[in-house]
């Protein structure tokens, strides 16, 4: 599908970009590395992990107490009375201890009274009680973690896909590093902070360069150097057609542009291309370094407005970084919501609208137990406050324009755990 001005849809643009990169020598081949289990959180398993041994590895006590044989030799342990066991008929065990040979049951410590002539057990005893059998949790050879899973605290593994490197290049004569004193007409480099955090959230290792001036030769050198080690290069700003915008010319100089302009709002001036640094024989200061796993490196010319930068990352950078890790974009299941007002969208593009979510009132009738979405309008793509106050994106497909209060929509949480207020 295309927009009314002929620009490709985000989905078509992404497919065209990936195909162009592949034709130029790029591939999303997965590289495996061994990392400490302590460093594997958020990484992606490169292969299926199977159990080397059962869990538990042996029959073990599930409670502190005494291990006994509750069969016929235990005589009288099935009633509600008391029985005195000689010292030879039980063994003290703590939780996790192996069950002694011949025993099949654990009587918890609270029901055992130690006597000089043995142990007095009170109450009924069921054979097999408080014993975890070997393999009860899983057996040797059982699948524990599938390939391609983004590892959570509960399922950390040591063999993971190589962490892709995302190079982020902020540009603009008017852009200053975070913390700098600003003069008239100057702006803080907030976009690189946001994109670096989002790249890390996607499992990548972000590397942010110094702010590059609006000088084509300097920017070209920065892109070439970044592409020597990066798996993805994001050039912030300069993708439009303003007087100082030179990203398009630079990408044509150091590589190729596959897509220029996409039917999406905000973010339509995005540039999708690639660079092949080896073609230029470029060696960075300090000598050559190990290059990325492919000859062509994908490049995204990210629009400079904050909302546009955020949308473009979701549409193009996040899927590519996931592919490089042999995974999919971390699951953020779309949520059902109800609009709290009439809304008019731009039907000629895929319109990404920030929305705040409110939980329904507990007193609402059963049919009303769905999230309420409040779209954020006005102030344009440069208003970072629209994104800060939002809980989710509402991606309105091309061709859909008008909505009424009460219409049901699908929204995409901005984070894995959206902050939802209670009205």
């Amino acid at each position: 599908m295309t927009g009314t001005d002929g620009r490709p849809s985000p989905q078509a643009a992404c497919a065209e970009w990936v195909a162009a990169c592949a034709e130029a020598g790029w591939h999303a081949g997965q590289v495996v590395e061994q990392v400490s289990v302590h460093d594997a959180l958020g990484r992606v398993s490169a292969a299926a992990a199977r159990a080397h041994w059962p869990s538990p590895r042996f029959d073990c006590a599930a409670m502190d107490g005494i291990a006994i044989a509750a069969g016929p030799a235990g005589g009288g342990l099935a009633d509600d009375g008391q029985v005195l066991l000689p010292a030879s008929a039980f063994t003290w065990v703590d939780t996790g201890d192996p069950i002694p040979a011949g025993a099949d049951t654990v009587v918890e410590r609270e029901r055992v009274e130690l006597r000089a002539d043995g142990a007095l057990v009170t109450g009924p005893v069921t054979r097999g009680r408080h014993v975890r059998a070997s393999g009860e949790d899983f057996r040797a050879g059982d699948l524990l973690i599938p390939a391609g899973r983004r590892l959570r605290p509960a399922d950390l593994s040591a063999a993971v896909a190589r962490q892709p490197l995302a190079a982020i290049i902020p540009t603009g004569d008017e852009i200053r590093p975070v913390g700098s004193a600003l003069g008239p007409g100057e702006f803080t480099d907030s976009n690189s902070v946001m994109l670096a955090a989002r790249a890390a959230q996607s499992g990548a290792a972000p590397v942010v360069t110094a702010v590059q001036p609006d000088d084509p030769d300097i920017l070209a050198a920065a892109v070439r150097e970044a592409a020597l080690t990066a798996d993805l290069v994001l050039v912030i700003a300069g993708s439009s057609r303003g007087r100082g915008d030179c990203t398009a010319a630079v990408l044509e100089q150091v590589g190729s542009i596959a897509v220029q302009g996409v039917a999406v709002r905000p973010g339509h001036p995005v540039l999708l291309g690639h660079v092949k640094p080896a073609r230029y024989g470029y060696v960075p200061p300090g000598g050559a370094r190990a290059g990325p796993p492919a000859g062509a490196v994908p490049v995204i010319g990210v629009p400079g407005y904050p909302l546009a930068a955020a949308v473009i990352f979701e549409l193009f950078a996040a899927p590519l970084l996931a592919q490089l890790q042999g995974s999919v974009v971390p699951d953020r299941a779309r949520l059902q919501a109800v609009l709290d007002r009439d809304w008019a969208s731009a039907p000629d593009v895929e319109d990404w609208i920030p929305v705040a979510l409110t939980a329904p009132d507990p007193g609402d009738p059963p049919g009303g137990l769905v999230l309420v979405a409040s779209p954020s309008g006005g102030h344009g793509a440069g208003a970072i406050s629209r994104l800060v106050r939002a809980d989710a994106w509402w991606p309105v497909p091309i061709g859909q324009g008008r909505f009424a209060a009460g219409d049901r929509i699908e929204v995409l949480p901005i984070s894995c755990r959206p902050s939802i207020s209670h009205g």
Side-chain angles (χ1 to χ4, degrees):
M1 180 180 288
T2 59
T4 56
D5 61 358
R7 289 181 302 210
S9 69
Q11 296 72 27
C14 192
E16 186 177 345
W17 175 45
V18 170
C21 290
E23 186 176 350
W26 174 84
H27 64 90
Q30 187 185 73
V31 179
V32 177
E33 64 178 346
Q34 296 285 336
V35 301
S36 164
V37 66
H38 304 292
D39 299 324
L41 182 64
R43 303 291 295 277
V44 175
S45 55
R50 296 185 177 274
H52 291 292
W53 49 73
S55 177
R57 298 181 70 172
F58 42 78
D59 293 353
C60 63
M63 294 283 285
D64 299 340
I66 59 172
I68 65 171
L77 295 181
D79 58 32
D80 291 335
Q82 295 180 330
V83 64
L84 181 64
L85 298 177
S88 61
F90 67 88
T91 303
W92 284 103
V93 291
D94 294 321
T95 301
D97 285 349
I99 297 298
D104 54 26
T105 303
V106 173
V107 181
E108 59 270 36
R109 183 180 294 273
E110 293 79 3
R111 294 201 289 125
V112 177
E113 181 183 341
L114 191 61
R115 300 277 184 91
D117 52 351
L120 183 68
V121 175
T122 303
V125 176
T126 303
R127 187 174 186 179
R129 179 80 168 164
H130 301 316
V131 173
R132 295 190 65 205
S134 175
E136 175 182 287
D137 190 7
F138 53 80
R139 299 165 298 178
D142 281 355
L143 176 66
L144 298 180
I145 301 170
R149 170 178 285 180
R150 193 168 298 279
L151 300 172
R152 306 162 299 180
D155 50 23
L156 291 180
S157 179
V160 298
R162 184 182 64 82
Q163 188 175 31
L165 190 152
I168 299 168
I169 305 176
T171 73
D173 292 338
E174 75 284 10
I175 302 300
R176 297 292 178 266
V178 172
S180 301
L182 300 180
E186 296 179 342
F187 300 89
T188 296
D189 176 27
S190 58
N191 277 342
S192 66
V193 176
M194 175 181 67
L195 294 181
R198 189 65 187 89
Q201 194 177 52
S202 300
V207 175
V208 181
T209 74
V211 178
Q212 304 299 311
D214 291 323
D215 182 306
D217 293 335
I218 294 176
L219 181 56
V223 171
R224 286 173 176 154
E225 182 174 354
L228 285 172
T229 53
D231 298 277
L232 172 65
V233 178
L234 299 138
V235 181
I236 303 175
S239 62
S240 296
R241 301 181 186 275
R243 287 178 298 171
D245 294 334
C246 60
T247 301
V250 166
L251 291 188
E252 290 285 14
Q253 176 186 344
V254 303
S256 177
I257 296 175
V259 177
Q260 185 167 9
V262 176
V264 64
R265 187 180 77 170
H268 68 85
V270 61
L271 299 170
L272 302 173
H274 59 80
V275 59
K276 296 185 72 172
R279 184 170 70 191
Y280 305 93
Y282 178 75
V283 178
R289 290 176 288 187
V297 180
V299 180
I300 304 177
V302 181
Y305 279 140
L307 264 70
V311 168
I312 293 307
F313 190 99
E314 297 301 324
L315 286 171
F316 303 108
L320 186 124
L321 291 173
Q323 187 178 357
L324 286 168
Q325 297 169 80
S327 182
V328 296
V329 178
D331 184 28
R332 287 178 292 156
R334 297 202 175 200
L335 304 174
Q336 296 291 319
V338 170
L339 280 175
D340 69 346
R341 69 193 71 177
D342 295 343
W343 189 262
S345 183
D348 58 332
V349 296
E350 184 170 298
D351 201 0
W352 280 58
I353 301 165
V355 298
L357 299 177
T358 304
D361 190 313
D364 285 350
L369 296 180
V370 68
L371 295 171
V372 177
S374 301
S376 169
H379 307 300
I384 189 66
S385 62
R386 294 179 64 197
L387 189 56
V388 171
R389 295 168 183 163
D391 304 302
W393 290 107
W394 174 25
V396 181
I398 295 174
Q400 298 185 22
R402 294 193 173 276
F403 300 84
D407 282 354
R408 293 211 173 200
I409 63 172
E410 282 191 341
V411 299
L412 179 69
I414 286 177
S415 66
C416 295
R417 293 184 179 273
S419 175
I420 300 173
S421 63
H422 293 265

